[in-house]
Amino acid sequence: MKRCLFVDDSSVIRKVAKRILGGSDLIVVEAASGVEAAEICASDMPDVIVIDGGLADIQAADLIRRLRAMESPIKPQILVSLVEVDVAAIMRAKRAGAQGYLLKPFNRAQLLESFRVLKIAA
């Protein structure tokens, strides 16, 4: 079963994502900060990670680099979630190891399409 880590300091965003993605074929785990996300990944690396581009405790690109540096048999697919199309932020995230981005607020169709592009069933 695939695991997804949704990292966002907004509990509403995390709950909406969990409701949309949670199901029989995907387990959604939540983290409210970059530090919490790193701890979760250190103990059990998920298959997909969605990282808020505006975390208070760490920049998304720095968190992505930290997660990519971890030793794990799983190499997760990573998306950065942004409130607007910020080409510089998207490029920083991609250079750090992200596969793409997601705009928020998102709806069911947008979130599921992002996961379909990653070829993750949701």
Side-chain angles (χ1 to χ4, degrees), residues 28-106:
V28 180
V29 181
E30 301 175 42
S33 70
V35 170
E36 186 181 355
E39 290 171 356
I40 290 168
C41 292
S43 65
D44 192 8
M45 187 66 77
D47 300 288
V48 181
I49 306 170
V50 180
I51 300 172
D52 178 10
L55 290 172
D57 65 335
I58 188 171
Q59 289 193 0
D62 293 337
L63 178 58
I64 293 166
R65 276 191 285 279
R66 183 181 295 180
L67 299 179
R68 288 285 182 223
M70 290 181 179
E71 288 293 324
S72 172
I74 297 171
K75 298 299 177 205
Q77 297 191 59
I78 300 175
L79 293 176
V80 63
S81 65
L82 303 166
V83 293
E84 64 184 8
V85 176
D86 179 344
V87 176
I90 293 166
M91 293 313 297
R92 281 192 301 273
K94 284 193 165 200
R95 280 193 297 270
Q99 276 72 37
Y101 69 96
L102 169 68
L103 290 178
K104 58 182 181 176
F106 47 78

Side-chain angles (χ1 to χ4, degrees), residues 6 10-21 30:
F6 217 93
S10 167
S11 63
V12 173
I13 294 286
R14 291 193 317 268
K15 283 184 184 12
V16 168
K18 192 169 191 172
R19 178 162 289 165
I20 292 171
L21 295 173
E30 301 175 42

